[in-house]
Amino acid sequence: MLAFILRRLLQSVVVMLVVCLISFSLFHYVGDPVASLLGQDSRLQDFEELRERLGLNDPFYMQFANYIGNALRGELGISYRLQTPVSELIASRLPATIELAMASALIALVFGVTLGVMSALKPRSFTTGVVMTLSLVGVSLPTFLIGIGLIYVFAVELQWLPSFGRGQVVDLGWWKTGLLTESGLRSLILPAITLSLFQLTLIMRLVRAEMLEVLRQDYIKFARARGLSNRAINFGHALKNTLVPVITITGLQLGSVIAFAIITETVFQWPGVGSLFVNSVQVVDVPVMAAYLMFVALVFVVINLIVDILYYVVDPRLRIAGRAAR
Amino acid sequence: MSADTTRPAAPVAAKGALARFLDSDIWFSFKRSPVTIVAATVAAVLILSALLAPLISPYDPFNPATLNLMDGFTKPFSESMFGNYFVFGSDNQGRDVLSTILYGSRISIFVGLMATLFAMVIGISLGLSAGYVGGVYDSVVMRIADIQLSFPAILIALLIFGVARGIIPPSQHESMAVWVLIIAIGLANWAQFARTVRGATMVERQKDYVAAARIMGVNPLRILLGHVLPNVMGPVLVIATINLALAIIEEATLSYLGVGVPPTQPSLGTLIRIGQQFLFSGEWWILFFPAVTLVLLALSVNLLGDWLRDALNPRLR
Amino acid sequence: MVETLVKPAAEAAATKRPVVSVRNLTVDFPLRRGNFRAVEDVSFDIMPGEVLGVVGESGAGKSMTGSAIIGLIEPPGRITGGEVLLDGRRIDNLPPEEMQKLRGKRIGMVFQDPLTSLNPLYRIGDQIVETIRRHLPVSEAEARERAIGLLREAGIPSPEDRIDSYPHQFSGGMRQRVVIALALAAEPELIIADEPTSALDVSVQAQIIKVLKRLCESRGAAVMLITHDMGVIAETADRMIVMNKGRIVETGKVGDIIKRPKQDYTIRLIKAIPSITDPIRVHAAPAEQKALVEVKHLVRDFDLSGSLLDRLFRRGGGKIVHAVDDVSFSIRKGSTYGLVGESGSGKSTCARMMVGLIPPTSGEVLLDGKDIWQAGAAERRRKVQMIFQDPYASLNPRWRVGDIIAEPIKALGLASGRSEIEGRVADLLERVRLDAAAMRKFPHEFSGGQRQRIAIARALSSQPEFIVCDEPTSALDVSVQAQVLDLMKRLQDEFGLTYLLISHNLAVVRTMADDVGVLNKGRLVEQGPVDQVFDAPKDEYTRMLLSSVPDISKVD
């Protein structure tokens, strides 16, 4: 178990290093950081001084090492656009994104798995047909259109829910939450639904496909021949086997919810890191882009690690053989 | 050995091929699925009308000479005060919404097709080589694909778009925008192709017909292209179809976020972005019709992909 | 020993009522191109304690008959006529819930592949206890006791410990024992065993048949043994049914049918089955004494230490497997050398090193005195060809037959010009007794036997001297096997070919080969002329193999 986790950790570190390299290259080669910081009418001497001060004259590997060192200390540079440290910017916007992502992940997981299992168990029923067709409509609807549609119906026409923003937030000192006020909760509903729909359909279709595959296996046929009840076969034997691959992919899907929030945050003017990123791309604010990339990679790596451990717990073949067969 | 010695002979007479197709299980399952027939028709109509936009659109929406601001905000199915009739209404600048949609879907479909093609070429090359060569090369390629697959395509496309903006001089942003989009979306989607092709290649590589070819000394490239590639095209076709829908949606999303094609050359996403400004003041049609077109396009292509997957999967038949 | 709770089988035996009666059973599959009748008008009885063998080639409807009895026909198939009586009561029209309670409780089933029959995520004990408690009113602890007893009876060593193991911790043979224990867990009166030993090696096969027979005898359970292997039936069953194309061809005592078949189909079938006591091969032209192929000290190691990281961390201590370990033999020009062994014996690895597919770790393969991995590499491509086991995978499904057969001609530049190549392909097709028009068709338009002929034509098209045949008939039905083997013999005499015949089927090797080598765990344990090795085996392993082969000559 320990060796397994260690190996996974090592892989995660490699992934993070690669992503660091990419974001460092972004920093280094896209645009001129000095020009972006100093503005048009500075003297050549200022340029040289700043280059020296930023370490831009050092050899590549030194700069990269510095960059990683700074990143580990949470220093991610200064936004060209807002002239504030990137780490402060991200920290102030992080709670909004995380609360949104968690809420939608929960919706996607609960409904996705339930609907997926239902439609796999009754593949030929009318309801399944409707659900499957709806899920296709779901993946064909761009997220921003879903958002606009929900705003139009529930905020503009019916005026039940707010159309933008986070509502009132409570400052816990280290975390500004919208979950403790009524307006905050009401503001969360539409964005959370919007963000969850795409993942929901994906998870549902995945669970369905895996479960249908499992139901075709010999051991299910053998379980029927042993006279086990449908309940025991479907929920005991089939579901557990379905979960093994589903855990992996679902975990990664949920991880991508955070990055996927970019669109939803833009539509609902949600003050999270996603909308920060979009605004940065538009004006090529490289430090923010680079930092955001690293942030998303970190989320990915952490979730991946959790998924691997879960996988290990569920599948005895891994547990006993003691190595990943992926 | 001359260059084309081991390539199979060209298909026999077209009649034979057509007859085989009409007798095939694919055609049979197509005939049996009304939803698929409708989807195919809708997709064909949308793509054809986009292709023929310059010929069939009632107005030229991008010619300032024919635009009249006083035509602005005409309701659908009505005439403006100058006697211009607008089926889907007109926008703030007096452009005919139907015409902008026709021209807009042209760009959306073009970007979607090219990006899919681009992703397909990269994905197939990497997938085939990784699956056949194996070893460290395979692990590296697949690890990259894994990582990329766990980031949403839209984020990757945004990043690539941002990088391109930083590299290309601002004066050329507008003219290069479409190609930047194609590359960004293509690079964001290659991993799915690579993974599938690699998996299928690993299966085919183990098969004895490949061993037979290796025994007689056929070179690896020819084995890959002559033997393996034709046998992995089925799943590739399915992914390509679904990916086309995805690419169209991604283009619309990027344009909606304001980082796609320039407003002078609006795609469906840009039109929706423009329309959103007027939605809450009651001019719903400026957003509504482009949105419906986009959804119909994506949905019909997705339905075709879904059907194709079932039709090509013998186990589900 | 576990005490039997209920003994309906014994009661039935007293009254001599059949456990199961099938009356005029018909099963239909409505398919796109019309109705497919998988089983037609089949009637038979199985008496208590009896082992009934059901034999037939693929598509005979034998498995479908078994599925129909236990009520597990896959849709869209369904029973469209006749009835199934269990102990005198009709069961084919029972509602699904009642049928469910009957399965496992009164009818048990064993499937072919033990590797996929058990749920990989549950301990075997849990799976047995689950089945027992579903059908019998016992407590968890009692069920566990019974499960341990069952496993012990099934021949699982120290069942008290193994009961908490997962399926992947057992070998294939052990898993099939677990599957049998599971099928018998609730004391059913009838066991339907569908090819229970076909996925196993001969040595394991013999043990599994014994276990199945012993367990059923001790419980008085009747067995319906479905198999394509007449040898298994000859050794196991009391009575047998021969099926063909969904119908019963002949029914009777096993000994009677094998020794005195009455129907034409059965006569042809029995004649086509090779036996390890058959007379040995006589060539039209006797083989030369000069060796064409020599294998010297061939070794192949596989590194099984997994990923790159594993290899980095466990330097030196990796898991090296000697798949082929110092094997030497030579093949006379114009003769057939048979290489036999069970799975994992290294016979296929050997074959692949001899045709240039995988390089040997050490040792050499000489063709006409030249090493095919060194100086003889170019020559090898023309002179050495291979015929594979699975005729479905050895032909590219996207290529026309003509292109498949012409591939070696084109790749080696043996002929140029369309008409010349076409002429050669037509000639080759004729040699393997296929119509020349076949070259315009695709592989899927042919049957398994025909495809194997196409594969042979391809192998012949480079005019080779030496052909490696890796289990060339294992995927084929016996009657087709006989035809293909016959064709191979004729072609050998016609062209003076030299064969290496790799097979797990000892009877096939007996009828085809001049010399034979026996591989066990990568080592050649015995070799010599066929009659010598088969009739007077010297090695312990060879003797064990020969005695465990189910063979029709072993019928009493």
Side-chain angles (χ1 to χ4, degrees):
Chain A
M1 176 83 186
L2 199 68
F4 174 81
I5 291 178
L6 267 178
R7 184 154 48 228
R8 284 301 189 202
L9 262 175
L10 195 75
Q11 284 179 359
S12 308
V13 170
V14 172
V15 170
M16 276 317 289
L17 275 178
V18 171
V19 174
C20 275
L21 187 65
I22 294 174
S23 59
F24 171 69
S25 318
L26 265 182
F27 211 59
H28 208 70
Y29 296 112
V30 179
D32 185 350
V34 180
S36 311
L37 280 174
L38 280 179
Q40 299 290 328
D41 43 48
S42 311
R43 288 173 303 140
L44 201 66
Q45 201 190 343
D46 293 341
F47 272 81
E48 268 316 306
E49 265 179 35
L50 192 63
R51 286 192 80 83
E52 195 58 44
R53 199 150 53 85
L54 291 174
L56 291 175
N57 292 333
D58 293 344
F60 183 84
Y61 65 90
M62 278 280 288
Q63 291 191 42
F64 185 44
N66 269 335
Y67 183 78
I68 292 177
N70 287 337
L72 285 177
R73 269 177 277 123
E75 287 170 25
L76 298 165
I78 292 168
S79 160
Y80 298 161
R81 184 171 58 108
L82 301 166
Q83 300 292 331
T84 29
V86 175
S87 39
E88 272 177 36
L89 269 177
I90 289 190
S92 71
R93 284 171 166 255
L94 199 54
T97 296
I98 290 192
E99 284 177 5
L100 174 62
M102 288 296 168
S104 14
L106 197 70
I107 299 176
L109 204 59
V110 170
F111 287 94
V113 172
T114 318
L115 289 174
V117 169
M118 264 173 47
S119 63
L121 291 182
K122 294 200 181 340
R124 286 175 208 286
S125 83
F126 178 74
T127 336
T128 300
V130 172
V131 169
M132 288 308 289
T133 313
L134 276 182
S135 78
L136 261 187
V137 177
V139 289
S140 308
L141 273 174
T143 306
F144 66 91
L145 266 187
I146 298 174
I148 294 174
L150 289 178
I151 292 177
Y152 188 73
V153 174
F154 293 99
V156 178
E157 289 295 317
L158 298 172
Q159 305 210 335
W160 288 353
L161 297 164
S163 68
F164 68 92
R166 246 187 123 188
Q168 260 187 312
V169 291
V170 178
D171 194 347
L172 300 177
W174 51 279
W175 188 276
K176 288 199 172 80
T177 179
L179 299 177
L180 296 177
T181 63
E182 198 203 324
S183 80
L185 286 174
R186 280 160 49 95
S187 304
L188 184 62
I189 295 176
L190 291 183
I193 292 176
T194 307
L195 182 53
S196 69
L197 270 182
F198 186 75
Q199 313 293 329
L200 193 159
T201 44
L202 274 186
I203 292 175
M204 186 203 111
R205 295 180 78 87
L206 174 77
V207 169
R208 176 185 136 91
E210 287 297 338
M211 187 130 181
L212 284 175
E213 183 67 36
V214 168
L215 286 172
R216 271 193 290 268
Q217 298 295 314
D218 276 359
Y219 54 79
I220 297 297
K221 210 168 136 200
F222 188 49
R224 286 195 206 293
R226 282 189 277 145
L228 299 184
S229 66
N230 282 336
R231 215 185 124 81
I233 292 172
N234 293 338
F235 296 103
H237 288 265
L239 190 60
K240 194 166 174 188
N241 279 284
T242 305
L243 285 181
V244 175
V246 164
I247 283 175
T248 330
I249 304 178
T250 304
L252 296 179
Q253 281 302 330
L254 293 185
S256 71
V257 164
I258 290 199
F260 215 78
I262 297 170
I263 306 163
T264 314
E265 289 184 7
T266 309
V267 176
F268 288 92
Q269 296 166 43
W270 188 263
V273 282
S275 51
L276 175 71
F277 177 64
V278 171
N279 295 334
S280 307
V281 169
Q282 281 163 345
V283 298
V284 201
D285 188 351
V286 177
V288 180
M289 283 163 65
Y292 182 76
L293 180 66
M294 284 210 283
F295 162 67
V296 173
L298 188 68
V299 171
F300 158 73
V301 161
V302 169
I303 290 188
N304 213 343
L305 212 60
I306 298 174
V307 164
D308 277 335
I309 293 169
L310 266 181
Y311 210 78
Y312 197 81
V313 171
V314 175
D315 195 335
R317 283 166 296 191
L318 288 182
R319 203 156 57 219
I320 287 153
R323 58 188 243 215
R326 275 215 310 176
Chain B
M1 257 190 290
S2 70
D4 60 348
T5 39
T6 52
R7 197 181 303 148
V12 280
K15 191 186 162 205
L18 182 69
R20 267 216 331 272
F21 175 72
L22 289 179
D23 192 47
S24 70
D25 291 324
I26 300 257
W27 179 244
F28 179 76
S29 87
F30 183 78
K31 276 191 303 186
R32 282 265 300 258
S33 164
V35 176
T36 311
I37 296 176
V38 171
T41 318
V42 171
V45 167
L46 287 174
I47 292 174
L48 261 179
S49 55
L51 206 68
L52 302 175
L55 298 178
I56 59 171
S57 73
Y59 300 90
D60 182 353
F62 305 114
N63 183 356
T66 61
L67 289 184
N68 192 335
L69 274 180
M70 303 302 277
D71 274 345
F73 299 125
T74 311
K75 284 201 163 94
F77 313 110
S78 59
E79 269 182 23
S80 71
M81 47 187 97
F82 293 98
N84 286 327
Y85 184 76
F86 296 112
V87 186
F88 289 167
S90 73
D91 67 6
N92 56 328
Q93 299 176 35
R95 293 188 292 203
D96 174 38
V97 171
L98 175 62
S99 302
T100 55
I101 289 176
L102 287 173
Y103 278 92
S105 27
R106 216 168 133 87
I107 293 180
S108 292
I109 291 170
F110 177 73
V111 171
L113 278 176
M114 293 301 284
T116 302
L117 203 67
F118 186 50
M120 198 161 110
V121 170
I122 300 179
I124 289 179
S125 329
L126 287 175
L128 267 184
S129 51
Y132 195 78
V133 176
V136 178
Y137 173 68
D138 175 46
S139 333
V140 170
V141 171
M142 282 307 115
R143 202 65 200 157
I144 296 175
D146 273 353
I147 296 171
Q148 182 163 346
L149 274 177
S150 47
F151 292 93
I154 204 77
L155 168 63
I156 293 170
L158 268 171
L159 265 176
I160 296 171
F161 194 88
V163 171
R165 278 213 158 179
I167 295 171
I168 299 170
S171 58
Q172 287 175 16
H173 276 178
E174 288 214 347
S175 55
M176 300 284 282
V178 167
W179 295 103
V180 170
L181 258 185
I182 289 171
I183 290 172
I185 297 175
L187 280 180
N189 290 325
W190 66 273
Q192 188 73 45
F193 286 98
R195 239 201 196 173
T196 311
V197 170
R198 182 246 187 191
T201 303
M202 304 250 295
V203 173
E204 294 300 318
R205 184 186 68 162
Q206 297 299 326
K207 290 205 175 149
D208 292 336
Y209 67 83
V210 171
R214 284 174 56 204
I215 290 172
M216 60 189 88
V218 179
N219 85 45
L221 191 65
R222 194 165 295 159
I223 291 179
L224 272 184
L225 299 181
H227 280 293
V228 179
L229 186 59
N231 283 294
V232 304
M233 278 316 278
V236 168
L237 208 63
V238 174
I239 299 182
T241 317
I242 294 169
N243 205 275
L244 176 61
L246 210 66
I248 289 174
I249 291 178
E250 277 162 11
E251 186 279 324
T253 307
L254 287 174
S255 296
Y256 171 79
L257 292 177
V259 295
V261 291
T264 49
Q265 236 187 327
S267 71
L268 290 175
T270 326
L271 293 177
I272 294 169
R273 181 186 168 85
I274 296 169
Q276 197 189 359
Q277 302 162 17
F278 309 108
L279 177 65
F280 305 127
S281 52
E283 285 89 21
W284 53 271
W285 60 90
I286 307 175
L287 177 134
F288 182 76
F289 292 108
V292 168
T293 312
L294 177 64
V295 173
L296 276 182
L297 191 60
L299 182 60
S300 57
V301 174
N302 260 333
L303 281 169
L304 282 178
D306 204 51
W307 158 78
L308 200 61
R309 178 175 44 212
D310 291 352
L312 288 179
N313 188 345
R315 260 189 323 205
L316 293 178
R317 259 208 303 271
Chain C
M1 285 295 125
V2 180
E3 215 183 322
T4 333
L5 280 186
V6 269
K7 271 250 180 204
E11 274 168 43
T15 54
K16 268 295 165 199
R17 187 156 61 173
V19 178
V20 89
S21 295
V22 175
R23 296 274 156 264
N24 311 99
L25 183 72
T26 300
V27 176
D28 282 327
F29 277 73
L31 295 177
R32 178 193 152 191
R33 294 177 204 271
N35 183 49
F36 170 65
R37 184 151 286 186
V39 177
E40 185 167 11
D41 197 21
V42 161
S43 305
F44 60 87
D45 290 337
I46 306 178
M47 301 308 280
E50 183 186 41
V51 179
L52 176 78
V54 180
V55 78
E57 299 187 295
S58 52
K62 50 194 196 302
S63 286
M64 204 51 67
T65 309
S67 301
I69 293 175
I70 200 167
L72 283 178
I73 298 177
E74 299 278 333
R78 58 196 187 88
I79 298 177
T80 45
E83 51 188 38
V84 179
L85 304 169
L86 182 68
D87 202 15
R89 208 175 119 230
R90 192 164 170 193
I91 58 166
D92 58 284
N93 55 358
L94 284 181
E97 309 81 58
E98 280 188 53
M99 196 63 209
Q100 211 173 60
K101 286 187 192 132
L102 214 127
R103 284 196 283 267
K105 170 84 182 125
R106 301 189 59 195
I107 308 176
M109 188 145 184
V110 176
F111 291 107
Q112 171 171 355
D113 191 353
L115 300 185
T116 56
S117 289
L118 298 169
N119 189 333
L121 301 187
Y122 288 90
R123 297 167 207 274
I124 58 159
D126 295 342
Q127 298 188 48
I128 303 179
V129 166
E130 178 187 30
T131 313
I132 295 175
R133 297 205 61 196
R134 161 83 176 159
H135 297 295
L136 304 175
V138 293
S139 71
E140 183 83 23
E142 282 171 309
R144 196 178 155 86
E145 270 311 299
R146 288 175 67 94
I148 291 173
L150 266 166
L151 288 174
R152 182 177 296 117
E153 272 191 89
I156 305 274
S158 58
E160 298 84 357
D161 306 326
R162 300 308 307 268
I163 189 167
D164 289 323
S165 303
Y166 288 95
H168 72 271
Q169 295 170 292
F170 292 88
S171 68
M174 284 296 157
R175 276 197 232 187
Q176 196 66 316
R177 289 167 193 262
V178 175
V179 169
I180 292 174
L182 256 172
L184 286 161
E187 310 280 336
E189 301 133 69
L190 173 70
I191 291 281
I192 299 173
D194 191 353
E195 304 274 8
T197 59
S198 305
L200 305 170
D201 274 327
V202 268
S203 55
V204 183
Q205 198 174 12
Q207 299 162 10
I208 295 295
I209 291 176
K210 273 191 206 116
V211 167
L212 181 65
K213 219 175 158 178
R214 191 183 69 229
L215 282 178
C216 292
E217 259 166 23
S218 70
R219 286 169 171 70
V223 180
M224 175 174 170
L225 177 66
I226 300 167
T227 178
H228 69 283
D229 190 340
M230 195 76 94
V232 170
I233 292 207
E235 290 194 359
T236 321
D238 309 310
R239 236 161 25 94
M240 71 186 278
I241 293 174
V242 182
M243 286 185 77
N244 182 36
K245 291 180 184 155
R247 291 177 154 274
I248 290 183
V249 181
E250 196 164 348
T251 314
K253 282 233 157 51
V254 171
D256 290 345
I257 290 190
I258 290 179
K259 286 181 187 145
R260 294 171 292 279
K262 291 192 188 68
Q263 301 297 318
D264 284 349
Y265 175 79
T266 324
I267 295 172
R268 266 184 285 125
L269 187 69
I270 302 279
K271 210 174 147 220
I273 300 171
S275 163
I276 51 168
T277 56
D278 277 351
I280 60 163
R281 170 89 187 274
V282 181
H283 289 275
E288 297 171 28
Q289 281 308 308
K290 183 177 154 270
L292 175 73
V293 181
E294 287 171 278
V295 174
K296 289 183 176 166
H297 307 293
L298 206 55
V299 174
R300 173 69 205 196
D301 296 338
F302 285 113
D303 186 356
L304 291 188
S305 41
S307 73
L308 185 72
L309 271 173
D310 281 332
R311 257 174 262 173
L312 283 176
F313 283 136
R314 268 178 261 145
R315 194 151 263 242
K319 297 170 218 159
I320 304 279
V321 171
H322 306 292
V324 174
D325 194 358
D326 195 18
V327 167
S328 303
F329 59 89
S330 62
I331 310 177
R332 290 175 289 140
K333 193 169 170 52
S335 78
T336 300
Y337 188 93
L339 201 55
V340 300
E342 299 185 286
S343 57
S345 63
K347 53 189 195 304
S348 282
T349 310
C350 234
R352 286 175 178 258
M353 285 191 282
M354 293 174 71
V355 294
L357 280 176
I358 45 177
T361 307
S362 67
E364 48 190 3
V365 180
L366 305 180
L367 177 75
D368 266 337
K370 280 188 227 159
D371 191 336
I372 65 155
W373 284 97
Q374 310 282 336
E379 228 168 292
R380 181 208 81 215
R381 297 198 177 113
R382 191 181 73 71
K383 288 187 175 170
V384 181
Q385 289 294 336
M386 186 162 178
I387 301 170
F388 300 89
Q389 169 172 3
D390 183 357
Y392 293 83
S394 66
L395 308 177
N396 189 337
R398 308 260 163 198
W399 282 28
R400 278 169 210 283
V401 168
D403 294 313
I404 291 172
I405 296 176
E407 193 184 16
I409 302 177
K410 291 178 183 166
L412 297 163
L414 300 178
S416 54
R418 214 190 149 111
S419 58
E420 191 189 345
I421 292 174
E422 246 177 43
R424 280 218 198 183
V425 170
D427 179 54
L428 285 162
L429 281 169
E430 201 180 309
R431 301 248 185 210
V432 297
R433 278 129 194 111
L434 284 172
D435 193 70
M439 72 171 86
R440 308 242 169 271
K441 296 185 184 170
F442 285 93
H444 68 86
E445 296 170 67
F446 296 91
S447 69
Q450 288 172 324
R451 287 185 210 206
Q452 205 60 317
R453 286 162 190 271
I454 295 169
I456 293 174
R458 171 179 60 191
L460 288 176
S461 74
S462 69
Q463 297 168 318
E465 292 173 18
F466 175 50
I467 299 183
V468 173
C469 315
D470 189 0
E471 304 268 9
T473 58
S474 312
L476 306 175
D477 280 326
V478 272
S479 56
V480 182
Q481 164 172 292
Q483 293 163 13
V484 170
L485 292 178
D486 203 45
L487 177 70
M488 284 171 59
K489 283 186 207 167
R490 265 188 282 178
L491 291 171
Q492 179 168 43
D493 290 341
E494 204 172 321
F495 296 105
L497 295 167
T498 307
Y499 288 146
L500 172 71
L501 174 68
I502 291 183
S503 184
H504 70 282
N505 189 328
L506 296 173
V508 166
V509 170
R510 165 103 192 183
T511 58
M512 287 292 290
D514 302 289
D515 303 293
V516 62
V518 183
L519 270 177
N520 180 28
K521 294 182 183 140
R523 303 193 72 99
L524 199 61
V525 294
E526 180 165 7
Q527 63 171 324
V530 166
D531 44 354
Q532 198 180 312
V533 173
F534 274 69
D535 299 337
K538 291 193 192 72
D539 184 80
E540 183 68 32
Y541 178 74
T542 316
R543 274 200 289 273
M544 186 278 294
L545 262 192
L546 282 164
S547 69
S548 29
V549 173
D551 197 90
I552 52 168
S553 65
K554 294 184 181 170
V555 66
D556 5 82

